[in-house]
Amino acid sequence: MFSRKTYQTESMKHRAGKSTRSQKKSFRDHGISKSHHSRQPSQTQKMDQSPTGNLTSAIVTIVCGREQRLFAAHEDVLCHSPFFTAACRGQFQEAHSRRISLPDEEPEIFSSVLEYLYKGDYYPRLTYNKRRDTWELEDGGGANNERGTVQSTVYHQGVTGVVLKDTVIYCTAEKYGLEELKRLALRKQGLHSGIQCNTVLASARYAYANTPDTDSKMRAHYLSLIIRSRNTFKRSGTMQMEMERGGKLFFDLFVAMCNHLDDVQNVTT
């Protein structure tokens, strides 16, 4: 999966065994509203197609992770990211050899980023089910089954544990300046369910450590999730240990819960 190859090929084919039904369309064909069960978007809400550029441009080699996995991609495709534009224009020492080193990047995550740059989405794809009038992940990619759990999490060496894949992709997109990929990752994460408390808390800490204080999307997503599931979290031993460790996450959580109580009080009065 991580061998050297360009993403002009079908190297990132989705798993075989399930055909795409006619009533489903991909994220590339529709816009996205804030609701998980949104109406079919109008033509004016459609997103741009995948950011694929000139597939005849020079090939750049990316050395990724501690294991130095090799990827290859077209320069024009990479340069949809400001980060890689700077790299390819000589601001990295290895730019003259068309070779970029990313020693701290997880190969699985970078593979998904490249897949997005070439195809406008990453596996499992986000699809619109016209019959049910809802967005969903292909191949039952939720977290209510074993396959979905594997798809929704990734082992990250930086935190020495399992975190939610979409959170890591969101933070990576933040680093690379890919705003549409951030929006896609956030949307996908909202479709997962049944994630264990320790994974949610580890992922929330990761999000706080890898997004700026001005981030109003992913951080708010975790605060809202914990408040909605407070009955589960208050019984969690992991929650107690994490709160004893402290950090900005839990101050923000305190403020969010106070605001929630204020809203409830205003409604009842």
Side-chain angles (χ1 to χ4, degrees):
M1 179 178 178
F2 303 122
S3 61
R4 180 176 177 178
K5 59 186 73 175
T6 68
Y7 276 67
Q8 181 181 7
T9 66
E10 290 296 317
S11 61
M12 291 301 297
K13 283 184 178 178
H14 306 306
R15 295 185 181 180
K18 182 172 183 179
S19 61
T20 302
R21 295 182 179 178
S22 60
Q23 71 268 21
K24 292 185 179 180
K25 295 187 178 181
S26 72
F27 177 77
R28 293 169 55 182
D29 300 322
H30 290 289
I32 291 180
S33 74
K34 294 182 180 179
S35 171
H36 286 185
H37 301 284
S38 57
R39 293 291 179 185
Q40 182 175 355
S42 65
Q43 181 71 22
T44 58
Q45 291 176 305
K46 285 186 178 180
M47 289 189 56
D48 294 336
Q49 295 296 310
S50 63
T52 305
N54 180 9
L55 297 185
T56 62
S57 61
I59 297 296
V60 178
T61 301
I62 302 98
V63 185
C64 191
R66 299 178 184 178
E67 298 178 0
Q68 296 189 327
R69 299 285 183 88
L70 297 181
F71 294 85
H74 295 89
E75 182 175 339
D76 283 358
V77 174
L78 287 175
C79 285
H80 283 88
S81 157
F83 177 93
F84 289 109
T85 298
C88 293
R89 291 180 179 175
Q91 295 185 26
F92 286 1
Q93 291 182 352
E94 296 179 291
H96 64 280
S97 63
R98 300 194 183 280
R99 187 180 181 93
I100 300 172
S101 293
L102 302 173
D104 298 324
E105 197 67 85
E106 291 292 328
E108 181 177 351
I109 298 302
F110 188 72
S111 177
S112 294
V113 173
L114 276 187
E115 187 179 5
Y116 164 78
L117 287 174
Y118 276 93
K119 298 182 178 181
D121 203 345
Y122 60 90
Y123 185 79
R125 294 195 315 160
L126 185 64
T127 60
Y128 181 75
N129 189 320
K130 187 175 181 181
R131 184 180 62 186
R132 296 181 179 178
D133 193 19
T134 185
W135 291 96
E136 58 188 32
L137 297 175
E138 68 176 352
D139 293 346
N144 292 324
N145 54 66
E146 184 177 352
R147 181 200 290 184
T149 301
V150 172
Q151 291 175 355
S152 64
T153 59
V154 61
Y155 182 85
H156 198 288
Q157 295 180 351
V159 296
T160 318
V162 172
V163 291
L164 290 170
K165 177 181 176 180
D166 295 318
T167 294
V168 182
I169 290 177
Y170 180 97
C171 295
T172 303
E174 171 71 36
K175 177 172 62 177
Y176 294 154
L178 298 169
E179 292 298 320
E180 289 297 339
L181 179 55
K182 285 172 59 179
R183 191 160 77 98
L184 174 60
L186 183 65
R187 179 60 173 162
K188 285 186 171 186
Q189 180 156 307
L191 295 177
H192 291 295
S193 61
I195 305 297
Q196 297 199 5
C197 291
N198 59 337
T199 301
V200 171
L201 293 172
S203 302
R205 280 198 178 274
Y206 182 90
Y208 265 76
N210 292 278
T211 56
D213 288 341
T214 54
D215 178 76
S216 61
K217 301 295 184 181
M218 184 59 77
R219 293 187 178 194
H221 166 81
Y222 278 110
L223 297 177
S224 176
L225 174 61
I226 294 172
I227 291 174
R228 290 198 312 270
S229 306
R230 57 191 177 276
N231 289 332
T232 300
F233 279 95
K234 72 181 181 181
R235 297 192 301 268
S236 168
T238 303
M239 184 67 169
Q240 179 179 348
M241 289 187 294
E242 289 289 337
M243 292 189 74
E244 289 173 354
R245 287 177 57 192
K248 192 175 188 307
L249 164 64
F250 293 100
F251 175 76
D252 286 354
L253 180 61
F254 169 75
V255 173
M257 293 191 75
C258 288
N259 291 337
H260 175 70
L261 290 173
D262 289 343
D263 290 342
V264 171
Q265 185 177 21
N266 289 337
V267 170
T268 57
T269 58

